[in-house]
Amino acid sequence: SQTIHQWPATLVQPVGSPLSLECTVEGTSNPNLYWYRQAAGRGLQLLFYSVGIGQISSEVPQNLSASRPQDRQFILSSKKLLLSDSGFYLCAWSVQQGRHEQYFGPGTRLTVT
Amino acid sequence: GEDVEQSLFLSVREGDSSVINCTYTDSSSTYLYWYKQEPGAGLQLLTYIFSNMDMKQDQRLTVLLNKKDKHLSLRIADTQTGDSAIYFCAERKTGANNLFFGTGTRLTVIP
């Protein structure tokens, strides 16, 4: 069966510090991968998605970047965090064909102080 | 409209039925989904419906789809306190690699 991992689970970082959040998927090959941000426990904002290694699509101009160095690894980064980067970050995967339903990781709660 | 819309809040008494509504945007969307998010957790896929179906039932969950009005609903029978969560609908638009999510409906079940 497939599983998706995110770490860390929680993170408190000062303004201006760098960020690296990691997401890995097991039990599937060549998945689509997604990063979302959820502010204040409400709606999802799609940040990035990837259909393959090194292929990243950015949905929203922002202070963040994403990379996919391996097939089942997706990394969200920032060089300098802003207060507005605080939120709940969710990684998800889907198969590339068929229904495209997405399966979500447990999330990372980021607080920028 | 351009956004998938949902009511923000719904309160029901334990044992009653809950109906969560969603209006989506693309009449040619092929699949529509319902997700559940418990506090502090990721989203869990509850069910989906293919666009050529009007209804799908899965135990206590019933999904109704009205393609003409682009309206999707999720009915939870015999609602329990464990059903308290945020529920998101999502659509897969034609040609898109990603899903488009609604704003979420926070369901509160009153004992």
Side-chain angles (χ1 to χ4, degrees), chain A residues 13-77:
Chain A
Q13 292 282 98
V15 168
S17 63
L19 173 73
S20 181
L21 303 182
E22 189 164 343
C23 170
T24 59
V25 181
E26 296 177 356
T28 188
S29 297
N30 199 27
N32 287 343
L33 295 171
Y34 308 85
W35 278 112
Y36 291 88
R37 177 168 58 203
Q38 186 178 31
R42 298 307 304 180
L44 298 173
Q45 179 186 32
L46 178 65
L47 302 175
F48 301 95
Y49 72 90
S50 171
V51 299
I53 295 174
Q55 300 179 62
I56 310 294
S57 296
S58 174
E59 291 296 303
V60 181
Q62 61 218 322
N63 186 41
L64 303 169
S65 61
S67 62
R68 185 171 177 173
Q70 301 180 45
D71 181 45
R72 290 169 288 178
Q73 184 185 31
F74 206 21
I75 297 172
L76 184 68
S77 303

Side-chain angles (χ1 to χ4, degrees), chain B residues 19-67:
Chain B
V19 179
I20 303 171
N21 294 302
C22 170
T23 303
Y24 60 98
T25 65
D26 185 353
S27 59
S28 62
S29 288
T30 51
Y31 287 95
L32 297 129
Y33 310 83
W34 283 104
Y35 285 83
K36 175 184 181 183
Q37 185 183 32
E38 298 186 6
L43 276 68
Q44 171 194 359
L45 178 65
L46 284 179
T47 188
Y48 66 91
I49 187 166
F50 188 49
S51 59
N52 69 351
M53 300 170 65
D54 298 324
M55 185 183 82
K56 180 179 180 181
Q57 188 160 359
D58 183 1
Q59 299 182 335
R60 293 191 297 123
L61 304 179
T62 303
V63 178
L64 295 178
L65 176 60
N66 180 331
K67 285 187 67 177

